[in-house]
Amino acid sequence: KAGVTQTPRYLIKTRGQQVTLSCSPISGHRSVSWYQQTPGQGLQFLFEYFSETQRNKGNFPGRFSGRQFSNSRSEMNVSTLELGDSALYLCASSLDRGLDGYTFGSGTRLTVV
Amino acid sequence: DAKTTQPTSMDCAEGRAANLPCNHSTISGNEYVYWYRQIHSQGPQYIIHGLKNNETNEMASLIITEDRKSSTLILPHATLRDTAVYYCIAETGANNLFFGTGTRLTVIP
């Protein structure tokens, strides 16, 4: 079966711009989570969506937002980009709550210049 | 959610068993122990999880002590492709994973 697909794979943006990243979960998976990975902070949880509702949220500023569509596909948006937002953004999906483990995508590498 | 403590790095000879320890002394009764690994530049990969019984799947075995304060992930015959950062996570619903710094396992030919 197809895995978790994240697009684009790489992205370069300028400070102050906004960006939208996309994640298509495994077919049938209704839970989608987003993580940010940087060398300094490691993997940090951003938020989780289930059936189009945000179910859990990490400690990130309001510039980071997301949504989930009826087909479980999810997008995350970062507005007013800062240099520190440069990171690998990972999406993970599961049937529900990751109890049987999350499947991660390969990520989108965002560089802010 | 319980914090976990793992050694920063470990080496293992190819073909030997790799035993990766994890301490989770503050784990609560309803928290599962999950293991993921991340190979360079890829997303984390789920390996195995357990609550209090030992578990085995096609990738690894998970041994959890009776008091549940520590666990060991066992890769029975390590290969070069097992070189990765291994994360031990103690979570309830596991929908908010705290990865920590993990153990960098290097499999040596």
Side-chain angles (χ1 to χ4, degrees):
Chain A
K1 58 182 178 182
V4 177
T5 303
Q6 291 189 247
T7 57
R9 190 76 173 88
Y10 301 93
L11 203 52
I12 299 176
K13 289 286 188 178
T14 304
R15 271 184 303 175
Q17 287 186 313
Q18 73 166 17
V19 66
T20 299
L21 311 181
S22 178
C23 172
S24 293
I26 289 175
S27 178
H29 283 191
R30 298 166 65 191
S31 170
V32 174
S33 295
W34 288 89
Y35 288 81
Q36 180 196 65
Q37 186 172 29
T38 60
Q41 299 297 320
L43 276 154
Q44 292 187 286
F45 172 75
L46 280 157
F47 29 66
E48 186 233 359
Y49 286 87
F50 182 80
S51 293
E52 302 179 66
T53 301
Q54 187 180 88
R55 193 161 60 174
N56 207 347
K57 189 176 188 302
N59 296 321
F60 278 81
R63 301 186 296 107
F64 292 81
S65 62
R67 59 177 176 170
Q68 186 180 33
F69 302 95
S70 59
N71 62 358
S72 293
R73 189 177 70 86
S74 178
E75 290 180 346
M76 69 162 282
N77 184 277
V78 188
S79 62
T80 319
L81 283 166
E82 301 176 358
L83 295 179
D85 297 332
S86 295
L88 179 66
Y89 290 88
L90 291 157
C91 164
S93 77
S94 76
L95 286 169
D96 185 13
R97 295 189 179 277
L99 290 175
D100 290 324
Y102 275 101
T103 301
F104 281 80
S106 297
T108 293
R109 184 161 298 279
L110 171 66
T111 301
V112 182
V113 297
Chain B
D1 297 318
K3 284 191 176 178
T4 60
T5 304
Q6 299 176 253
T8 304
S9 64
M10 293 181 63
D11 292 339
C12 178
E14 188 177 16
R16 296 294 192 117
N19 296 285
L20 291 89
C22 178
N23 286 322
H24 30 79
S25 57
T26 60
I27 195 169
S28 62
N30 62 344
E31 286 182 314
Y32 287 78
V33 178
Y34 287 82
W35 283 83
Y36 284 78
R37 72 180 183 184
Q38 187 173 26
I39 296 170
H40 184 61
S41 298
Q42 298 181 22
Q45 177 189 23
Y46 165 81
I47 301 173
I48 198 168
H49 75 281
L51 185 61
K52 50 186 176 181
N53 296 322
N54 297 338
E55 303 287 344
T56 296
N57 63 19
E58 64 279 3
M59 288 184 68
S61 294
L62 174 61
I63 309 297
I64 302 174
T65 58
E66 193 169 341
D67 61 9
R68 301 209 329 119
K69 293 185 176 182
S70 66
S71 61
T72 301
L73 177 75
I74 301 173
L75 307 178
H77 305 288
T79 71
L80 298 179
R81 289 180 295 179
D82 292 323
T83 292
V85 178
Y86 288 77
Y87 297 97
C88 169
I89 300 163
E91 289 284 347
T92 50
N95 61 342
N96 178 359
L97 302 175
F98 179 77
F99 278 83
T101 55
T103 296
R104 183 172 298 278
L105 174 68
T106 302
V107 179
I108 302 169

